[in-house]
Amino acid sequence: MHTISFINMKGGVGKTTSVVEIATLLATEFSKKVLVIDLDPQTNATLSFISLKQWEKIKDTGTIADVLGMNRGASSRDEDFDIKKAIIKSPQGIKNLDLIPSHLELTFLDLDLVSVPARESVLKNKIDNAGLNYDYILIDCPPNLTLAPQNALIISDYIVVPVTPEVYPAIGLPLLVNRVQKWKKSFRDCNVEFLGVIFTKVDGRYSVHAQQMDALRKSKIIPCFSTIVKQNAPLGKAVAESKPATLVYPHCNGVEAYRSLANEIIQKIEDDGK
Ligand SMILES: Nc1ncnc2c1ncn2[C@@H]1O[C@H](COP(=O)(O)OP(=O)(O)OP(=O)(O)O)[C@@H](O)[C@H]1O
Ligand SMILES: [Mg+2]
């Protein structure tokens, strides 16, 4: 089982899009058994796989908020909540892919779990106890490093960092690397490593994009995947149907890029042999 967190403290850089499309491709075209965990209260990944109507049916009984034992209305924490109860099997009929949906309440996770011991390991304990069996777990994280992403990091083998090559990454990436390293020192059983940067929303008309990609590749702060994902409108359109673009526009440029990235990811992980 390989667990990959998609992290960048910057918002809107394509974390969710990358998780949704790569997960769908791994499941449907590479025959991998995949679990997507949505750890972002914005629930964007969730709503790329299920409709708002479907989400409303399960929001009080089976989301990541229940898994993490948040205070649910008047009821108190349910430490025994079985993670399997929150798994939606094959949303949209996608074979080999399961989803743990998110909840807006996750915004308050840090407050709710403030007095819980080892609160960074709640998700890890749930997963360890459930004996889940997937080839890949892909985790969509919010644009920060608070408690939800910390729960993701502790169970992750790898971090993938989607980056829109504007001016910010030069400052943001060293900060992310530094924070993760610092954080790892305090959690010795965490072996997470950076797998690579995915350049997303690349626009050939902006010379700054080419310059920033070049600078980041040369800096070697984090290795960069060869495939880049250019600006491609269909990637954003499929969500209106609560479906990944891979299913709706399987041959658009964006999906072709993610197909190539799925290949690169599998190759890198297999070569790593971790
Ligand atoms: N390659 C692309 N071309 C065009 N639009 C894209 C591309 N990738 C992502 N988008 C769009 O950009 C917006 C932000 O993408 P996304 O939600 O994946 O970013 P994010 O990093 O998850 O954001 P957040 O930090 O808010 O969670 C979305 O509307 C998405 O559809
Ligand atoms: Mg997102």
Side-chain angles (χ1 to χ4, degrees):
M1 200 151 79
H2 307 292
T3 304
I4 312 174
S5 283
F6 287 65
I7 292 190
N8 189 334
M9 277 110 72
K10 184 159 169 59
V13 293
K15 294 181 289 295
T16 301
T17 307
S18 300
V19 167
V20 168
E21 302 309 335
I22 292 170
T24 307
L25 286 158
L26 288 172
T28 57
E29 299 184 16
F30 294 84
S31 303
K32 305 290 184 192
K33 223 173 158 323
V34 181
L35 174 67
V36 173
I37 304 180
D38 187 357
L39 268 183
D40 186 348
Q42 297 180 95
T43 67
N44 293 342
T46 300
L47 297 176
S48 300
F49 289 112
I50 62 170
S51 66
L52 191 57
K53 220 170 158 185
Q54 282 172 286
W55 181 80
E56 281 182 339
K57 281 192 202 144
I58 50 89
K59 73 180 169 59
D60 296 324
T61 50
T63 72
I64 192 71
D66 301 290
V67 174
L68 295 175
M70 292 184 69
N71 289 314
R72 315 284 291 139
S75 66
S76 57
R77 282 166 42 78
D78 177 5
E79 284 178 28
D80 300 327
F81 183 86
D82 181 354
I83 191 171
K84 287 187 177 140
K85 282 205 273 181
I87 295 180
I88 298 176
K89 296 219 168 268
S90 297
Q92 297 287 7
I94 306 172
K95 204 176 150 225
N96 287 333
L97 186 140
D98 294 346
L99 168 74
I100 297 184
S102 188
H103 196 294
L104 279 74
E105 269 189 41
L106 212 59
T107 311
F108 308 111
L109 185 70
D110 292 64
L111 293 174
D112 270 15
L113 266 59
V114 73
S115 57
V116 174
R119 55 190 180 275
E120 304 80 10
S121 306
V122 179
L123 183 59
K124 178 179 174 11
N125 295 337
K126 293 282 165 131
I127 287 183
D128 287 351
N129 292 340
L132 300 183
N133 185 19
Y134 291 95
D135 296 314
Y136 285 89
I137 300 180
L138 267 53
I139 308 179
D140 188 24
C141 293
N144 55 52
L145 279 181
T146 54
L147 192 52
Q150 289 178 29
N151 267 272
L153 281 182
I154 218 160
I155 56 166
S156 291
D157 304 297
Y158 302 104
I159 297 172
V160 166
V161 191
V163 165
T164 305
E166 287 155 355
V167 179
Y168 168 88
I171 313 159
L173 280 190
L175 188 69
L176 176 63
V177 172
N178 188 281
R179 277 283 141 185
V180 169
Q181 274 164 358
K182 252 190 181 164
W183 185 84
K184 264 174 76 172
K185 276 192 191 142
S186 42
F187 296 98
R188 297 212 172 268
D189 55 346
C190 171
N191 293 313
V192 71
E193 285 166 29
F194 285 93
L195 190 67
V197 164
I198 301 179
F199 291 116
T200 58
K201 301 168 88 169
V202 176
D203 192 329
R205 291 170 303 176
Y206 299 143
S207 57
V208 69
H209 279 196
Q211 285 161 9
Q212 283 297 326
M213 288 195 293
D214 196 41
L216 277 177
R217 285 193 195 281
K218 284 192 180 133
S219 76
K220 298 198 163 76
I221 304 171
I222 303 175
C224 303
F225 290 103
S226 318
T227 312
I228 62 171
V229 187
K230 294 188 179 160
Q231 279 280 1
N232 187 234
L235 285 178
K237 282 203 296 196
V239 72
E241 296 179 45
S242 315
K243 282 183 183 167
T246 295
L247 299 187
V248 188
Y249 311 105
H251 299 296
C252 71
N253 290 341
V255 171
E256 295 288 7
Y258 279 116
R259 191 170 280 122
S260 161
L261 276 163
N263 233 323
E264 276 197 66
I265 288 175
I266 292 174
Q267 210 57 55
K268 252 187 141 169
I269 290 180
E270 282 178 2
D271 289 352
D272 192 26
K274 194 166 166 180

